[in-house]
Amino acid sequence: MLEFLGRRIHAPLGPERLARLAKAPVVPVLLRRVGRVDYELTFGSQLHTPGEPLQEGELTRRIMGTIEAAVQAEPHRWWCWEIFEQLMAADRDAQSVGDPAR
């Protein structure tokens, strides 16, 4: 679990595991609508270099941090909250069913 927009969520480790397996760098890309039919593609700074020693989950935290920064910069552009709500709901479910902390 990690912190995202002030809540604890379960984030998928698939992108991190795929990058490690493929020995591929990870570069965030943001596609932003800037007009009726125009878009702007922005490449962020590399988040991971192949061979860089990282704890499992660290690259996922970096990826989610990049998404979080994009959402905070322009929250009105993010209409697909259902996806993030599903991730955040995992935390609620974990707390309500068999949570050892309760």
Side-chain angles (χ1 to χ4, degrees):
M1 291 186 57
L2 58 86
E3 188 81 16
F4 181 77
L5 297 172
R7 296 184 54 192
R8 303 276 299 158
I9 67 165
H10 293 275
L13 292 172
E16 175 176 335
R17 290 180 178 157
L18 183 60
R20 288 176 191 258
L21 186 64
K23 296 182 172 79
V26 175
V27 178
V29 179
L30 180 65
L31 181 64
R32 183 175 167 262
R33 189 175 181 171
V34 293
R36 184 169 161 83
V37 294
D38 296 317
Y39 293 85
E40 173 183 87
L41 189 63
T42 305
F43 291 85
S45 299
Q46 187 168 308
L47 299 177
H48 172 69
T49 303
E52 176 185 1
L54 293 175
Q55 296 280 343
E56 181 166 287
E58 177 57 30
L59 181 54
T60 298
R61 280 187 279 285
R62 292 178 187 181
I63 292 167
M64 294 304 292
T66 300
I67 295 170
E68 182 177 48
V71 171
Q72 289 174 332
E74 297 183 291
H76 62 281
R77 294 188 178 273
W78 291 82
W79 52 268
C80 58
W81 286 111
E82 301 85 31
I83 296 166
F84 295 111
E85 277 297 321
Q86 289 173 2
L87 293 172
M88 290 178 200
D91 180 43
R92 289 191 300 269
D93 295 343
Q95 289 180 5
S96 63
V97 179
D99 183 3
R102 294 188 100 182

PDB file of all heavy atoms in Angstrom, residues 1-11 64 68 72 81 84-93 95:
ATOM      1  N   MET A   1       0.844  -1.181   0.000  1.00  0.00           N
ATOM      2  CA  MET A   1       0.000   0.000   0.000  1.00  0.00           C
ATOM      3  C   MET A   1       0.886   1.239   0.000  1.00  0.00           C
ATOM      4  O   MET A   1       1.981   1.218   0.521  1.00  0.00           O
ATOM      5  CB  MET A   1      -0.905  -0.003   1.222  1.00  0.00           C
ATOM      6  CG  MET A   1      -1.967  -1.094   1.152  1.00  0.00           C
ATOM      7  SD  MET A   1      -3.182  -1.047   2.470  1.00  0.00           S
ATOM      8  CE  MET A   1      -3.834   0.575   2.303  1.00  0.00           C
ATOM      9  N   LEU A   2       0.362   2.283  -0.603  1.00  0.00           N
ATOM     10  CA  LEU A   2       1.101   3.539  -0.626  1.00  0.00           C
ATOM     11  C   LEU A   2       0.154   4.716  -0.519  1.00  0.00           C
ATOM     12  O   LEU A   2      -1.052   4.577  -0.668  1.00  0.00           O
ATOM     13  CB  LEU A   2       1.971   3.637  -1.881  1.00  0.00           C
ATOM     14  CG  LEU A   2       1.307   3.532  -3.253  1.00  0.00           C
ATOM     15  CD1 LEU A   2       0.794   4.881  -3.711  1.00  0.00           C
ATOM     16  CD2 LEU A   2       2.302   3.002  -4.245  1.00  0.00           C
ATOM     17  N   GLU A   3       0.714   5.860  -0.239  1.00  0.00           N
ATOM     18  CA  GLU A   3      -0.050   7.094  -0.092  1.00  0.00           C
ATOM     19  C   GLU A   3      -0.304   7.707  -1.470  1.00  0.00           C
ATOM     20  O   GLU A   3       0.619   7.856  -2.269  1.00  0.00           O
ATOM     21  CB  GLU A   3       0.755   8.072   0.769  1.00  0.00           C
ATOM     22  CG  GLU A   3       0.012   9.311   1.168  1.00  0.00           C
ATOM     23  CD  GLU A   3      -0.908   9.089   2.357  1.00  0.00           C
ATOM     24  OE1 GLU A   3      -0.764   8.072   3.060  1.00  0.00           O
ATOM     25  OE2 GLU A   3      -1.773   9.945   2.566  1.00  0.00           O
ATOM     26  N   PHE A   4      -1.571   8.047  -1.740  1.00  0.00           N
ATOM     27  CA  PHE A   4      -1.934   8.668  -3.012  1.00  0.00           C
ATOM     28  C   PHE A   4      -3.081   9.625  -2.743  1.00  0.00           C
ATOM     29  O   PHE A   4      -4.137   9.216  -2.265  1.00  0.00           O
ATOM     30  CB  PHE A   4      -2.349   7.603  -4.035  1.00  0.00           C
ATOM     31  CG  PHE A   4      -2.723   8.149  -5.379  1.00  0.00           C
ATOM     32  CD1 PHE A   4      -1.742   8.560  -6.272  1.00  0.00           C
ATOM     33  CD2 PHE A   4      -4.046   8.266  -5.757  1.00  0.00           C
ATOM     34  CE1 PHE A   4      -2.077   9.065  -7.517  1.00  0.00           C
ATOM     35  CE2 PHE A   4      -4.392   8.765  -6.993  1.00  0.00           C
ATOM     36  CZ  PHE A   4      -3.404   9.169  -7.879  1.00  0.00           C
ATOM     37  N   LEU A   5      -2.854  10.896  -3.011  1.00  0.00           N
ATOM     38  CA  LEU A   5      -3.863  11.932  -2.806  1.00  0.00           C
ATOM     39  C   LEU A   5      -4.441  11.892  -1.388  1.00  0.00           C
ATOM     40  O   LEU A   5      -5.633  12.033  -1.163  1.00  0.00           O
ATOM     41  CB  LEU A   5      -4.974  11.833  -3.845  1.00  0.00           C
ATOM     42  CG  LEU A   5      -4.531  12.058  -5.290  1.00  0.00           C
ATOM     43  CD1 LEU A   5      -5.672  11.752  -6.250  1.00  0.00           C
ATOM     44  CD2 LEU A   5      -4.028  13.483  -5.491  1.00  0.00           C
ATOM     45  N   GLY A   6      -3.549  11.662  -0.433  1.00  0.00           N
ATOM     46  CA  GLY A   6      -3.944  11.693   0.970  1.00  0.00           C
ATOM     47  C   GLY A   6      -4.616  10.437   1.491  1.00  0.00           C
ATOM     48  O   GLY A   6      -5.100  10.420   2.616  1.00  0.00           O
ATOM     49  N   ARG A   7      -4.631   9.375   0.685  1.00  0.00           N
ATOM     50  CA  ARG A   7      -5.240   8.119   1.114  1.00  0.00           C
ATOM     51  C   ARG A   7      -4.283   6.976   0.852  1.00  0.00           C
ATOM     52  O   ARG A   7      -3.426   7.058  -0.006  1.00  0.00           O
ATOM     53  CB  ARG A   7      -6.544   7.893   0.357  1.00  0.00           C
ATOM     54  CG  ARG A   7      -7.547   8.988   0.703  1.00  0.00           C
ATOM     55  CD  ARG A   7      -8.877   8.851   0.112  1.00  0.00           C
ATOM     56  NE  ARG A   7      -9.536   7.592   0.348  1.00  0.00           N
ATOM     57  CZ  ARG A   7     -10.627   7.241  -0.315  1.00  0.00           C
ATOM     58  NH1 ARG A   7     -11.143   8.044  -1.216  1.00  0.00           N
ATOM     59  NH2 ARG A   7     -11.214   6.093  -0.084  1.00  0.00           N
ATOM     60  N   ARG A   8      -4.463   5.896   1.592  1.00  0.00           N
ATOM     61  CA  ARG A   8      -3.669   4.695   1.387  1.00  0.00           C
ATOM     62  C   ARG A   8      -4.369   3.846   0.324  1.00  0.00           C
ATOM     63  O   ARG A   8      -5.565   3.587   0.442  1.00  0.00           O
ATOM     64  CB  ARG A   8      -3.544   3.901   2.688  1.00  0.00           C
ATOM     65  CG  ARG A   8      -2.941   4.678   3.835  1.00  0.00           C
ATOM     66  CD  ARG A   8      -1.457   4.717   3.865  1.00  0.00           C
ATOM     67  NE  ARG A   8      -0.909   3.384   3.994  1.00  0.00           N
ATOM     68  CZ  ARG A   8       0.322   3.069   3.635  1.00  0.00           C
ATOM     69  NH1 ARG A   8       1.120   3.969   3.140  1.00  0.00           N
ATOM     70  NH2 ARG A   8       0.779   1.842   3.758  1.00  0.00           N
ATOM     71  N   ILE A   9      -3.630   3.451  -0.710  1.00  0.00           N
ATOM     72  CA  ILE A   9      -4.213   2.644  -1.778  1.00  0.00           C
ATOM     73  C   ILE A   9      -3.321   1.451  -2.108  1.00  0.00           C
ATOM     74  O   ILE A   9      -2.135   1.437  -1.768  1.00  0.00           O
ATOM     75  CB  ILE A   9      -4.446   3.472  -3.070  1.00  0.00           C
ATOM     76  CG1 ILE A   9      -3.115   3.908  -3.683  1.00  0.00           C
ATOM     77  CG2 ILE A   9      -5.363   4.655  -2.816  1.00  0.00           C
ATOM     78  CD1 ILE A   9      -3.236   4.399  -5.099  1.00  0.00           C
ATOM     79  N   HIS A  10      -3.908   0.506  -2.762  1.00  0.00           N
ATOM     80  CA  HIS A  10      -3.157  -0.604  -3.348  1.00  0.00           C
ATOM     81  C   HIS A  10      -2.888  -0.206  -4.797  1.00  0.00           C
ATOM     82  O   HIS A  10      -3.818   0.092  -5.533  1.00  0.00           O
ATOM     83  CB  HIS A  10      -3.970  -1.903  -3.306  1.00  0.00           C
ATOM     84  CG  HIS A  10      -4.190  -2.402  -1.928  1.00  0.00           C
ATOM     85  ND1 HIS A  10      -3.271  -3.179  -1.268  1.00  0.00           N
ATOM     86  CD2 HIS A  10      -5.206  -2.210  -1.065  1.00  0.00           C
ATOM     87  CE1 HIS A  10      -3.718  -3.455  -0.062  1.00  0.00           C
ATOM     88  NE2 HIS A  10      -4.899  -2.886   0.084  1.00  0.00           N
ATOM     89  N   ALA A  11      -1.643  -0.174  -5.189  1.00  0.00           N
ATOM     90  CA  ALA A  11      -1.287   0.180  -6.568  1.00  0.00           C
ATOM     91  C   ALA A  11      -0.715  -1.053  -7.255  1.00  0.00           C
ATOM     92  O   ALA A  11      -0.011  -1.855  -6.635  1.00  0.00           O
ATOM     93  CB  ALA A  11      -0.256   1.304  -6.577  1.00  0.00           C
ATOM     94  N   MET A  64       3.290   6.362  -9.231  1.00  0.00           N
ATOM     95  CA  MET A  64       2.078   6.932  -8.656  1.00  0.00           C
ATOM     96  C   MET A  64       2.299   8.374  -8.211  1.00  0.00           C
ATOM     97  O   MET A  64       1.388   9.197  -8.285  1.00  0.00           O
ATOM     98  CB  MET A  64       1.588   6.069  -7.489  1.00  0.00           C
ATOM     99  CG  MET A  64       1.125   4.677  -7.912  1.00  0.00           C
ATOM    100  SD  MET A  64      -0.167   4.660  -9.178  1.00  0.00           S
ATOM    101  CE  MET A  64      -1.539   5.350  -8.265  1.00  0.00           C
ATOM    102  N   GLU A  68       0.068  11.449  -9.308  1.00  0.00           N
ATOM    103  CA  GLU A  68      -0.466  12.337  -8.271  1.00  0.00           C
ATOM    104  C   GLU A  68      -0.146  13.803  -8.569  1.00  0.00           C
ATOM    105  O   GLU A  68      -1.010  14.676  -8.461  1.00  0.00           O
ATOM    106  CB  GLU A  68       0.086  11.941  -6.906  1.00  0.00           C
ATOM    107  CG  GLU A  68      -0.453  12.775  -5.754  1.00  0.00           C
ATOM    108  CD  GLU A  68       0.061  12.287  -4.426  1.00  0.00           C
ATOM    109  OE1 GLU A  68       1.294  12.066  -4.298  1.00  0.00           O
ATOM    110  OE2 GLU A  68      -0.753  12.135  -3.503  1.00  0.00           O
ATOM    111  N   GLN A  72      -2.872  16.769  -9.213  1.00  0.00           N
ATOM    112  CA  GLN A  72      -2.891  17.961  -8.373  1.00  0.00           C
ATOM    113  C   GLN A  72      -2.683  19.236  -9.186  1.00  0.00           C
ATOM    114  O   GLN A  72      -3.229  20.279  -8.852  1.00  0.00           O
ATOM    115  CB  GLN A  72      -1.843  17.848  -7.269  1.00  0.00           C
ATOM    116  CG  GLN A  72      -2.231  16.823  -6.227  1.00  0.00           C
ATOM    117  CD  GLN A  72      -1.150  16.579  -5.197  1.00  0.00           C
ATOM    118  OE1 GLN A  72       0.041  16.733  -5.470  1.00  0.00           O
ATOM    119  NE2 GLN A  72      -1.564  16.182  -4.000  1.00  0.00           N
ATOM    120  N   TRP A  81     -12.002   9.015 -12.461  1.00  0.00           N
ATOM    121  CA  TRP A  81     -11.778   8.719 -11.046  1.00  0.00           C
ATOM    122  C   TRP A  81     -12.234   7.336 -10.644  1.00  0.00           C
ATOM    123  O   TRP A  81     -11.820   6.831  -9.607  1.00  0.00           O
ATOM    124  CB  TRP A  81     -12.461   9.779 -10.181  1.00  0.00           C
ATOM    125  CG  TRP A  81     -11.706  11.053 -10.230  1.00  0.00           C
ATOM    126  CD1 TRP A  81     -12.104  12.206 -10.825  1.00  0.00           C
ATOM    127  CD2 TRP A  81     -10.400  11.308  -9.725  1.00  0.00           C
ATOM    128  NE1 TRP A  81     -11.125  13.163 -10.714  1.00  0.00           N
ATOM    129  CE2 TRP A  81     -10.068  12.638 -10.042  1.00  0.00           C
ATOM    130  CE3 TRP A  81      -9.472  10.545  -9.044  1.00  0.00           C
ATOM    131  CZ2 TRP A  81      -8.854  13.211  -9.692  1.00  0.00           C
ATOM    132  CZ3 TRP A  81      -8.262  11.118  -8.695  1.00  0.00           C
ATOM    133  CH2 TRP A  81      -7.964  12.434  -9.013  1.00  0.00           C
ATOM    134  N   PHE A  84      -9.230   5.169  -9.934  1.00  0.00           N
ATOM    135  CA  PHE A  84      -8.551   5.464  -8.678  1.00  0.00           C
ATOM    136  C   PHE A  84      -9.434   5.110  -7.484  1.00  0.00           C
ATOM    137  O   PHE A  84      -8.946   4.671  -6.454  1.00  0.00           O
ATOM    138  CB  PHE A  84      -8.118   6.929  -8.641  1.00  0.00           C
ATOM    139  CG  PHE A  84      -7.080   7.238  -9.672  1.00  0.00           C
ATOM    140  CD1 PHE A  84      -7.385   8.040 -10.761  1.00  0.00           C
ATOM    141  CD2 PHE A  84      -5.806   6.707  -9.587  1.00  0.00           C
ATOM    142  CE1 PHE A  84      -6.438   8.311 -11.727  1.00  0.00           C
ATOM    143  CE2 PHE A  84      -4.855   6.969 -10.555  1.00  0.00           C
ATOM    144  CZ  PHE A  84      -5.169   7.775 -11.631  1.00  0.00           C
ATOM    145  N   GLU A  85     -10.731   5.287  -7.624  1.00  0.00           N
ATOM    146  CA  GLU A  85     -11.646   4.914  -6.550  1.00  0.00           C
ATOM    147  C   GLU A  85     -11.572   3.416  -6.278  1.00  0.00           C
ATOM    148  O   GLU A  85     -11.636   2.989  -5.135  1.00  0.00           O
ATOM    149  CB  GLU A  85     -13.083   5.328  -6.878  1.00  0.00           C
ATOM    150  CG  GLU A  85     -13.377   6.773  -6.560  1.00  0.00           C
ATOM    151  CD  GLU A  85     -13.247   7.110  -5.085  1.00  0.00           C
ATOM    152  OE1 GLU A  85     -13.637   6.304  -4.214  1.00  0.00           O
ATOM    153  OE2 GLU A  85     -12.728   8.202  -4.795  1.00  0.00           O
ATOM    154  N   GLN A  86     -11.414   2.602  -7.326  1.00  0.00           N
ATOM    155  CA  GLN A  86     -11.291   1.156  -7.133  1.00  0.00           C
ATOM    156  C   GLN A  86     -10.023   0.836  -6.352  1.00  0.00           C
ATOM    157  O   GLN A  86     -10.034  -0.025  -5.469  1.00  0.00           O
ATOM    158  CB  GLN A  86     -11.279   0.440  -8.475  1.00  0.00           C
ATOM    159  CG  GLN A  86     -12.617   0.441  -9.171  1.00  0.00           C
ATOM    160  CD  GLN A  86     -12.530  -0.128 -10.588  1.00  0.00           C
ATOM    161  OE1 GLN A  86     -11.474  -0.556 -11.029  1.00  0.00           O
ATOM    162  NE2 GLN A  86     -13.637  -0.111 -11.290  1.00  0.00           N
ATOM    163  N   LEU A  87      -8.935   1.521  -6.666  1.00  0.00           N
ATOM    164  CA  LEU A  87      -7.690   1.293  -5.939  1.00  0.00           C
ATOM    165  C   LEU A  87      -7.824   1.728  -4.483  1.00  0.00           C
ATOM    166  O   LEU A  87      -7.363   1.055  -3.572  1.00  0.00           O
ATOM    167  CB  LEU A  87      -6.536   2.049  -6.606  1.00  0.00           C
ATOM    168  CG  LEU A  87      -6.118   1.563  -7.984  1.00  0.00           C
ATOM    169  CD1 LEU A  87      -5.108   2.529  -8.594  1.00  0.00           C
ATOM    170  CD2 LEU A  87      -5.551   0.166  -7.922  1.00  0.00           C
ATOM    171  N   MET A  88      -8.465   2.862  -4.279  1.00  0.00           N
ATOM    172  CA  MET A  88      -8.631   3.373  -2.919  1.00  0.00           C
ATOM    173  C   MET A  88      -9.597   2.509  -2.119  1.00  0.00           C
ATOM    174  O   MET A  88      -9.453   2.363  -0.911  1.00  0.00           O
ATOM    175  CB  MET A  88      -9.116   4.816  -2.963  1.00  0.00           C
ATOM    176  CG  MET A  88      -8.071   5.770  -3.469  1.00  0.00           C
ATOM    177  SD  MET A  88      -8.757   7.432  -3.544  1.00  0.00           S
ATOM    178  CE  MET A  88      -7.618   8.196  -4.684  1.00  0.00           C
ATOM    179  N   ALA A  89     -10.588   1.922  -2.784  1.00  0.00           N
ATOM    180  CA  ALA A  89     -11.557   1.070  -2.103  1.00  0.00           C
ATOM    181  C   ALA A  89     -10.886  -0.162  -1.515  1.00  0.00           C
ATOM    182  O   ALA A  89     -11.346  -0.706  -0.518  1.00  0.00           O
ATOM    183  CB  ALA A  89     -12.664   0.661  -3.060  1.00  0.00           C
ATOM    184  N   ALA A  90      -9.800  -0.579  -2.116  1.00  0.00           N
ATOM    185  CA  ALA A  90      -9.080  -1.750  -1.602  1.00  0.00           C
ATOM    186  C   ALA A  90      -8.661  -1.521  -0.164  1.00  0.00           C
ATOM    187  O   ALA A  90      -8.684  -2.436   0.655  1.00  0.00           O
ATOM    188  CB  ALA A  90      -7.871  -2.049  -2.480  1.00  0.00           C
ATOM    189  N   ASP A  91      -8.303  -0.289   0.173  1.00  0.00           N
ATOM    190  CA  ASP A  91      -7.914   0.036   1.538  1.00  0.00           C
ATOM    191  C   ASP A  91      -9.111  -0.100   2.472  1.00  0.00           C
ATOM    192  O   ASP A  91      -9.018  -0.678   3.540  1.00  0.00           O
ATOM    193  CB  ASP A  91      -7.349   1.456   1.602  1.00  0.00           C
ATOM    194  CG  ASP A  91      -6.930   1.844   3.007  1.00  0.00           C
ATOM    195  OD1 ASP A  91      -6.317   1.000   3.691  1.00  0.00           O
ATOM    196  OD2 ASP A  91      -7.221   2.974   3.423  1.00  0.00           O
ATOM    197  N   ARG A  92     -10.254   0.404   2.051  1.00  0.00           N
ATOM    198  CA  ARG A  92     -11.455   0.307   2.889  1.00  0.00           C
ATOM    199  C   ARG A  92     -11.831  -1.153   3.124  1.00  0.00           C
ATOM    200  O   ARG A  92     -12.168  -1.545   4.223  1.00  0.00           O
ATOM    201  CB  ARG A  92     -12.613   1.055   2.246  1.00  0.00           C
ATOM    202  CG  ARG A  92     -12.453   2.565   2.283  1.00  0.00           C
ATOM    203  CD  ARG A  92     -13.745   3.251   1.889  1.00  0.00           C
ATOM    204  NE  ARG A  92     -14.183   2.904   0.543  1.00  0.00           N
ATOM    205  CZ  ARG A  92     -13.859   3.577  -0.558  1.00  0.00           C
ATOM    206  NH1 ARG A  92     -13.077   4.627  -0.474  1.00  0.00           N
ATOM    207  NH2 ARG A  92     -14.311   3.211  -1.729  1.00  0.00           N
ATOM    208  N   ASP A  93     -11.741  -1.979   2.079  1.00  0.00           N
ATOM    209  CA  ASP A  93     -12.081  -3.385   2.189  1.00  0.00           C
ATOM    210  C   ASP A  93     -11.126  -4.100   3.139  1.00  0.00           C
ATOM    211  O   ASP A  93     -11.542  -4.923   3.949  1.00  0.00           O
ATOM    212  CB  ASP A  93     -12.065  -4.071   0.827  1.00  0.00           C
ATOM    213  CG  ASP A  93     -13.143  -3.537  -0.100  1.00  0.00           C
ATOM    214  OD1 ASP A  93     -14.095  -2.889   0.396  1.00  0.00           O
ATOM    215  OD2 ASP A  93     -13.015  -3.746  -1.316  1.00  0.00           O
ATOM    216  N   GLN A  95      -9.538  -2.889   5.630  1.00  0.00           N
ATOM    217  CA  GLN A  95      -9.779  -2.481   7.015  1.00  0.00           C
ATOM    218  C   GLN A  95     -11.043  -3.105   7.574  1.00  0.00           C
ATOM    219  O   GLN A  95     -11.145  -3.340   8.757  1.00  0.00           O
ATOM    220  CB  GLN A  95      -9.862  -0.955   7.096  1.00  0.00           C
ATOM    221  CG  GLN A  95      -8.540  -0.288   6.890  1.00  0.00           C
ATOM    222  CD  GLN A  95      -8.650   1.219   6.968  1.00  0.00           C
ATOM    223  OE1 GLN A  95      -9.703   1.760   7.273  1.00  0.00           O
ATOM    224  NE2 GLN A  95      -7.561   1.892   6.681  1.00  0.00           N
TER     225      GLN A  95
END
